[in-house]
Amino acid sequence: MISRSLALLLSAVSLHAASPGAWELSTFTDFVKGTFDGVSLGRDGRLSVAPALHALFTSGQPVIWTLAAAPDGATYAATGHRGRVFRVEPSGVSRLIWTADRPEVFALAVDGRGVLYAGTSPNGKIWRIENGQATEYFDPKAKYIWALTTGSDGALYAGTGDEGRIFRITGPGQGEEYYATGQANVTGLMLDSAGALLAGTEPNGILYRVTARNQAFALYDSPLPEIRAIAPGPNGSVYAAGLGGALARKIQAVQQNQGQADATPTFSTSITVTAQAGNEIKPTSPDAKSAAVPAQPATTATATEVAGVERSAIYRINSDNTVDTLWSSKEENVYDILVRPDGDLQFGTDVNGRVYRLTPDRRLTLVVQTNEQEVTRLVASANTTLVATANSGKIYQLESAGTKGSWESPVFDASSVARWGRLRWNSSGTTAIRARSGNSLRPDNTWSPWSELLSDSKGSQIPSPNARFLQIKAELTGPSAAIEGIVAAYLPQNNPPLIRSITVLTQPSAATGKATGNSSASAANTPYSITVTDTGDAAPVASTGTPTQTLSRLGLQQLMISWQADDPDGDRLVYDLEYRGEGESVWKPLRKMLHENSWTIEGDSLADGRYFFRVTASDREVNPAATARETELVSSPVLIDNTPPVVRVQSSSRTEIVFDATDSVSPIRRAEWSLDAGPWIPLAPVDGVLDSPVEQFRLRLEGLTPGEHVVLLRAADAGGNSGLARVILR
């Protein structure tokens, strides 16, 4: 349980990242993401000193595939990828007893007289090893020999692939096909309390109970592709481990890619489901070989993951054939299970070579972490458990409670550079914690060194330098040492706000209810806006630069300035809005202490000219003055033009009219003429381009009928303001 002081600390954490925060580790899920060295983890999130882990045997090979216990207390170990079999004494003394002619020995079995049997792969045979001599015992004509077990009558059973057949062997060269599963591989074998043979298969994950030759019952059809391990349970029940990655298929794929003679298949945490959801092929009957999924030539060792499917699971098939799922995971693959004399279930996984314990009432404990790549097999030996691993191939022995251990947390990300506060934890016995920090996601030589031991569990100041990332290491000494809650306080650096854009546009004035203007200049009367972003880019244009925005007819409209802004820490922002005219040096306030993201002014509040608008965003209302931050952004230049151009006639006759148009603010953008109230006709300037506030025009008149005529001349500026002149021709 978390202490009251820790709970109060957590309740004081603000929603704003720039306010004090707390990194809390209190549950199994929080702690299991870390790295364990001599430390166990209970389901209640309690760290304690783990049983001692002793490296009993090192094979010098990449993987130990399987173990088999001898009647005299010794253990046999089969390795890959040189096909070696070792005998390991309880003292750890070992000797190589056989080297196979095949690279892999996946299966071992010891009969009641202590005779050892080994199955080699690929395209191997079953060998009998006795008194240091190995002789060929039976050739099943199979590519893989995955599992071996012996019956009380002395018969040897072999599970093979890639045709998914089980053989019963009664003597040298004396054997027969006992059952064809219709699957690709028989990956696990066990005899139950009634003497029936249990067989786990791949790729449809079916557990069979074989009661006689060619007689079987599908005891359980798992949703996972492979039944990897089988163990006897209480009261006639059976435990089975389902594997989502189909390990047998992965081994086949690696060997296909690398060649049988030099194949070096290894386990990998990328093992995932090989069949598409909903498209699994199920045999219609146990003998329907035609329904078996054929082993296809593999082109890759990586399988395809199906979303939402567990990677592995442990099932209990009860004596009435009902099934309970005791444990499942989307992160870890379980490769072997073992029932301890006390009734607890142990299992090994591929995440740092972990061994878990599951009690009958489903209390889960991470017993120990070997820090190898995988735990491949578990075997009971005397009062302890032997743990086989891959890469490297070792046998570890679980001993009595250890004397010390450490747990290293995952890396904590404060989202920005943070100042570290105090570290608190609930504990018993002798415990201490170290800390280190850095600014790279993965700890490397740029991180600070581990701090000195912090021993005051009620509140030790974290001495690590300010940084974005933090990691802690808990050290426990003595069998009574335990930790069940850790909280690290921190204060993130306050980050400045971000103003992403400023937009200036016109809208109808509240007094008029609508925009008005020259009806013929429809383009000018359309509300026009321009946006400047925090990169300084304006609205999309063909060339670079920041064009001036011209706002038209503001005398009858309103000017609205709006902006987009946010704070990376989630702080509430306050805004100041200012403006200045071109050629002016001082910013004048339009509005202070705005909480809205826009402000509107009447169109005639500003005289004609070019203007800039500046928005300043600040988080000063929620941060101390010393740490408050602000950011500003200036708009593109905005041209306000409320005055129409002046049209002056320089000369006129019945054949030609010369006139000019002059605007005090913006360029002339359009010129037109109309004869006797007829349609408006565009007119080009003398210099050919409308690009300045002063333009001259020459209108040539041809074919005028006799009598009086009226010619109207009109020029419009960039703001859509129009000036007129009239010429009467007699």
Side-chain angles (χ1 to χ4, degrees), residues 638-715:
V638 175
L639 179 61
I640 296 177
D641 187 356
N642 287 324
T643 305
V646 176
V647 179
R648 295 185 178 88
V649 178
Q650 302 298 329
S651 63
S652 63
S653 69
R654 294 182 67 88
T655 59
E656 183 181 77
I657 300 174
V658 178
F659 68 97
D660 55 37
T662 304
D663 192 88
S664 59
V665 177
S666 64
I668 304 299
R669 291 301 189 208
R670 186 177 181 86
E672 303 166 303
W673 65 281
S674 173
L675 177 65
D676 296 333
W680 289 100
I681 301 172
L683 185 63
V686 172
D687 61 8
V689 180
L690 292 168
D691 59 358
S692 69
V694 179
E695 296 285 357
Q696 187 177 72
F697 301 90
R698 188 181 304 274
L699 173 59
R700 300 186 185 279
L701 301 172
E702 297 179 358
L704 283 182
T705 60
E708 185 178 86
H709 295 278
V710 176
V711 178
L712 290 181
L713 306 172
R714 182 168 69 183

Side-chain angles (χ1 to χ4, degrees), residues 254-264:
V254 174
Q255 290 184 335
Q256 180 73 24
N257 285 342
Q258 299 184 359
Q260 295 176 356
D262 299 320
T264 55

Side-chain angles (χ1 to χ4, degrees), residues 369-387:
Q369 180 170 294
T370 65
N371 290 318
E372 299 289 349
Q373 188 169 330
E374 294 95 7
V375 167
T376 56
R377 288 294 179 188
L378 301 172
V379 170
S381 176
N383 295 321
T384 186
T385 300
L386 299 183
V387 181

Side-chain angles (χ1 to χ4, degrees), residues 448-517:
S448 68
W450 287 109
S451 69
E452 296 296 324
L453 286 172
L454 309 176
S455 57
D456 184 2
S457 63
K458 298 186 183 304
S460 294
Q461 177 62 44
I462 300 173
S464 303
N466 298 346
R468 175 172 174 173
F469 301 101
L470 180 70
Q471 190 178 35
I472 59 175
K473 179 190 287 187
E475 299 188 5
L476 297 81
T477 304
S480 63
I483 292 177
E484 60 177 325
I486 302 174
V487 176
Y490 65 97
L491 178 65
Q493 170 185 298
N494 184 30
N495 293 296
L498 298 174
I499 305 176
R500 302 190 180 278
S501 64
I502 299 176
T503 300
V504 184
L505 56 83
T506 60
Q507 64 182 21
S509 172
T512 62
K514 62 180 180 179
T516 61

Side-chain angles (χ1 to χ4, degrees), residues 15-177:
L15 293 177
H16 302 310
S19 301
W23 174 33
E24 178 190 5
L25 297 159
S26 60
T27 68
F28 182 93
T29 303
D30 296 331
F31 286 109
V32 78
K33 298 173 184 176
T35 301
F36 297 77
D37 185 6
V39 169
S40 294
L41 173 63
R43 187 61 190 174
D44 56 357
R46 181 182 177 88
L47 296 172
S48 58
V49 177
L53 190 67
H54 169 61
L56 182 68
F57 167 68
T58 300
S59 69
Q61 302 299 301
V63 57
I64 294 179
W65 287 121
T66 191
L67 301 176
D72 59 1
T75 301
Y76 294 106
T79 72
H81 310 298
R82 294 183 180 178
R84 293 178 175 178
V85 178
F86 295 86
R87 177 182 168 92
V88 183
E89 304 297 335
S91 63
V93 175
S94 65
R95 61 187 175 92
L96 175 66
I97 62 171
W98 183 55
T99 299
D101 61 351
R102 299 281 86 194
E104 313 299 334
V105 179
F106 292 130
L108 293 176
V110 178
D111 66 14
R113 297 184 296 108
V115 177
L116 177 66
Y117 300 90
T120 60
S121 296
N123 301 317
K125 301 174 183 178
I126 298 172
W127 297 78
R128 175 175 174 157
I129 306 172
E130 190 175 17
N131 299 324
Q133 298 295 320
T135 58
E136 182 180 323
Y137 191 62
F138 183 73
D139 184 1
K141 307 296 184 182
K143 187 169 185 178
Y144 297 97
I145 301 172
W146 296 114
L148 294 172
T149 192
T150 57
S152 58
D153 60 355
L156 178 68
Y157 296 92
T160 68
D162 52 2
E163 294 180 351
R165 296 184 294 166
I166 301 171
F167 292 86
R168 185 176 185 270
I169 307 150
T170 56
Q174 301 174 14
E176 63 180 352
E177 181 183 290

Side-chain angles (χ1 to χ4, degrees), residues 190-210:
M190 186 199 83
L191 286 165
D192 66 12
S193 57
L197 183 68
L198 300 179
T201 61
E202 185 276 336
N204 289 348
I206 299 176
L207 177 64
Y208 294 93
R209 176 184 282 137
V210 187

